Amino acid sequence: MKVNHIGYLVKHFEKSKKSFLNLGYKVISEDTHDQIRHVDICFLEKDHYVIELVSPYDKESVVAGMLKKYKNMPYHICYEVDDLDQAIEELESVGYAAIGEPECAPAFDNRKVIFLMNANSGMIELLESN
């Protein structure tokens, strides 16, 4: 597994993006309006670190409740994997629980992603490789 990015939950998408740009981050992809998860997404990079700004655009978003409770914060690490099904199986065998099923992600050219939770390490995202 290779780290792809760190997901950062934000309330005000454009204001947050500007704040990260002021820290020296550079936008590395066009904004994505993800209608599956009801979020707006932007990827930024600094010093070879990639962050994904994730901002719900309505209350139907899968992360809207998290934002109300925790405010702006990093909330997941995304790992890129060669075999998504095998990685899920391996992680479930060591205590991770899948949140839903793998779904296509518009921000990744519709490659499949899945989120998993672990009581000791929090949320992770798996992204299938190209």
Side-chain angles (χ1 to χ4, degrees):
M1 293 192 309
K2 174 186 164 198
V3 173
N4 181 279
H5 68 268
I6 296 173
Y8 205 100
L9 187 60
V10 298
K11 184 174 183 177
H12 301 289
F13 189 68
E14 291 300 328
K15 288 180 182 179
S16 295
K17 186 191 310 185
K18 183 177 179 182
S19 180
F20 279 98
L21 293 173
N22 288 337
L23 290 170
Y25 284 82
K26 303 290 182 207
V27 174
I28 59 172
S29 69
E30 291 187 29
D31 294 351
T32 300
H33 190 71
D34 184 333
Q35 295 181 348
I36 297 168
R37 292 162 195 83
H38 298 254
V39 294
D40 289 319
I41 295 170
C42 176
F43 289 92
L44 302 109
E45 181 178 22
K46 179 177 173 50
D47 302 329
H48 306 290
Y49 291 95
V50 176
I51 60 169
E52 173 192 34
L53 297 185
V54 178
S55 182
Y57 60 77
D58 67 28
K59 63 184 177 190
E60 301 301 316
S61 170
V62 296
V63 294
M66 288 177 63
L67 188 59
K68 280 184 178 180
K69 185 173 182 177
Y70 299 110
K71 309 298 181 211
N72 297 339
M73 65 170 195
Y75 77 105
H76 76 265
I77 299 175
C78 177
Y79 298 93
E80 197 166 339
V81 296
D82 292 327
D83 185 329
L84 190 62
D85 292 330
Q86 179 183 347
I88 293 167
E89 186 178 313
E90 289 174 4
L91 287 169
E92 286 180 332
S93 75
V94 295
Y96 284 82
I99 302 170
E101 298 294 323
E103 293 184 304
C104 295
F108 294 107
D109 298 320
N110 288 318
R111 290 188 280 162
K112 288 186 179 179
V113 299
I114 188 168
F115 289 87
L116 297 101
M117 286 292 293
N118 180 281
N120 298 310
S121 59
M123 185 184 300
I124 65 168
E125 177 183 21
L126 298 181
L127 166 66
E128 70 179 349
S129 295
N130 286 331

